[in-house]
Amino acid sequence: MQNSVADATDFLRDHRIRYNPFTVLFAEPDAAYVAHNEGRVIFSQKLDAGLHVFSSAADFELHSSKARRAEALFAGIKDRMPQLGCDLPRAIGALQAVLADHSLPAGSTNPGDAICVHRETSGTVSSSILFFSPLRSRFESYYCEGAPCRNVFGDPLGLDVS
């Protein structure tokens, strides 16, 4: 059993089983990592504190043009992000509006470049929002099954850490 991000990082580095593409986030109060796979190799990368956007694209790119565009939209609501004692449901609504965005970047005509994508055979199938409160030593995860423009985020799943 992995008890720390260091244990998890070691496990993932040495793990050599082929999986379908995935992205996984693992963290403890003072460190967070994201891992993704390519074939039988799992790569992990330490994250800086702050907001991060992950896409389910087959080719993992932490700073893709779509992620950078979403981060810019999130920056526009940064002042409304939850601070000490703020209303998380209202913050979820503001974040959901960004995740449900259908606008295209300048010069694009490809609907796949939108943050929320609708195609005949593929598209946005879910969204997740995770918060960490250092004051409460607690992670909260909100999940939206389906496209966030058509569905709502459910109640949080909490995880207390010490």
Side-chain angles (χ1 to χ4, degrees), residues 27-97:
E28 54 193 15
D30 60 346
Y33 288 77
V34 63
H36 72 283
N37 67 322
E38 293 176 19
R40 294 182 183 271
V41 180
I42 301 172
F43 300 93
S44 61
Q45 180 176 350
K46 186 171 185 188
L47 297 171
D48 294 328
L51 175 76
H52 296 279
V53 177
F54 306 106
S55 174
S56 61
D59 294 326
F60 182 86
E61 186 181 347
L62 189 56
H63 301 289
S64 68
S65 60
K66 185 184 285 196
R68 283 193 308 272
R69 207 164 73 71
E71 288 167 354
L73 291 171
F74 283 128
I77 60 171
K78 184 177 177 184
D79 294 337
R80 297 187 326 212
M81 292 295 291
Q83 300 297 327
L84 222 48
C86 271
D87 182 9
L88 278 178
R90 195 167 37 177
I92 294 295
L95 294 169
Q96 182 171 359

Side-chain angles (χ1 to χ4, degrees), residues 69 101-115:
R69 207 164 73 71
D101 186 86
H102 296 109
S103 65
L104 298 177
S108 176
T109 58
N110 179 355
D113 289 340
I115 294 170

Side-chain angles (χ1 to χ4, degrees), residues 73-151:
L73 291 171
F74 283 128
I77 60 171
K78 184 177 177 184
D79 294 337
R80 297 187 326 212
M81 292 295 291
Q83 300 297 327
L84 222 48
C86 271
D87 182 9
L88 278 178
R90 195 167 37 177
I92 294 295
L95 294 169
Q96 182 171 359
V98 171
L99 295 170
D101 186 86
H102 296 109
S103 65
L104 298 177
S108 176
T109 58
N110 179 355
D113 289 340
I115 294 170
C116 188
V117 177
H118 302 275
R119 293 185 179 161
E120 199 168 306
T121 59
S122 65
T124 304
V125 296
S126 68
S127 294
S128 296
I129 299 172
L130 292 98
F131 290 107
F132 175 67
S133 169
L135 180 68
R136 295 174 37 212
S137 292
R138 182 176 177 84
F139 286 97
E140 287 193 351
S141 174
Y142 295 80
Y143 178 74
C144 176
E145 185 174 351
C149 64
R150 298 177 178 163
N151 299 283

